Amino acid sequence: MNSKPPVNSQPHINNLESIGHRNNAALDASFCSALFPALDPDQKENRRFLKEETIFSIGSLTVVFTGLQFDQSDFDVYLALLAIAQPLPPVTAVKFHAASLLQKLGMPTGESDLEQFDSVLIRLCGGVIEITDHKKRYFGSLIEGGKMDEVTMIYQVSMNKQFRMLFGEENLSQSSNVVCESLFAKLKGCQ
């Protein structure tokens, strides 16, 4: 007996791309403001540690966060890393000079600013995001890790490929894309 397996015997593997392709500006804005809220200086000094806290939920989409609370400055740095990573293959580490990146973002580059930048990278690496959509659950940190040469101030950062695709240039809402395109243009050659 020659029995062939059914043509569609392989399970369909879903990934975060389906979430990113919702193309709903209100959803993107709500999601990003929940994950990266605006904090006043006192709140930044005393960031909350969130443990498996639901920060966003609409329809079948739920976002749970564990880690030191993110803020808008974390989002700015993450978008800058996405801009640098944009022309690179998804598994390639992002390499950049810290002061150069901060300058292109219009931020100061003093010693305390570089220390604060380092804290942002650690926070992005330490926060775990869980996204549940239609009974599929994705989890991980935005940055998987990295290294920094303390003499040259050159960082090499590995980004989470799934979240990179979710937040990537082509998956952000059109209103966000205007900001991203401007940022991508500014950061060319930052490596």
Side-chain angles (χ1 to χ4, degrees):
M1 276 198 135
N2 189 0
S3 121
K4 289 184 177 180
V7 174
N8 289 330
S9 65
Q10 293 291 330
H12 175 69
I13 298 177
N14 218 349
N15 62 30
L16 286 177
E17 288 182 68
S18 62
I19 296 169
H21 288 297
R22 292 174 183 268
N23 287 328
N24 181 331
L27 178 68
D28 286 350
S30 297
F31 173 73
C32 287
S33 65
L35 187 56
F36 300 99
L39 300 179
D40 66 40
D42 185 51
Q43 289 173 311
K44 285 184 179 193
E45 276 296 309
N46 303 299
R47 287 175 194 273
R48 293 177 41 221
F49 181 85
L50 307 175
K51 184 176 181 190
E52 297 176 353
E53 187 168 315
T54 299
I55 59 169
F56 181 79
S57 184
I58 187 168
S60 66
L61 180 67
T62 302
V63 180
V64 175
F65 184 79
T66 298
L68 206 53
Q69 188 176 30
F70 291 162
D71 70 10
Q72 286 291 303
S73 63
D74 299 325
F75 189 52
D76 293 342
V77 169
Y78 187 64
L79 282 179
L81 295 176
L82 286 174
I84 296 168
Q86 194 261 339
L88 304 172
V91 295
T92 306
V94 177
K95 193 174 179 181
F96 57 92
H97 188 276
S100 174
L101 186 134
L102 289 175
Q103 283 174 338
K104 293 198 180 214
L105 287 173
M107 298 175 163
T109 59
E111 188 174 330
S112 65
D113 303 302
L114 291 169
E115 288 172 7
Q116 183 179 358
F117 174 74
D118 199 55
S119 293
V120 169
L121 292 179
I122 299 301
R123 235 182 348 267
L124 291 172
C125 190
V128 177
I129 302 164
E130 297 176 60
I131 300 175
T132 305
D133 187 26
H134 294 97
K135 300 189 187 232
K136 300 285 185 196
R137 189 170 144 253
Y138 312 92
F139 54 92
S141 57
L142 296 175
I143 295 176
E144 294 175 344
K147 65 180 182 179
M148 188 261 280
D149 183 322
E150 295 199 2
V151 174
T152 64
M153 297 299 290
I154 293 181
Y155 283 81
Q156 190 168 334
V157 174
S158 298
M159 299 177 70
N160 181 311
K161 182 175 89 171
Q162 292 292 334
F163 285 115
R164 181 177 159 188
M165 291 185 319
L166 171 63
F167 286 104
E169 177 183 24
E170 58 200 44
N171 290 332
L172 289 173
S173 69
Q174 289 193 355
S175 59
S176 298
N177 259 344
V178 173
V179 174
C180 285
E181 286 173 14
S182 167
L183 185 60
F184 292 165
K186 269 187 190 177
L187 292 170
K188 283 193 175 154
C190 195
Q191 291 181 313

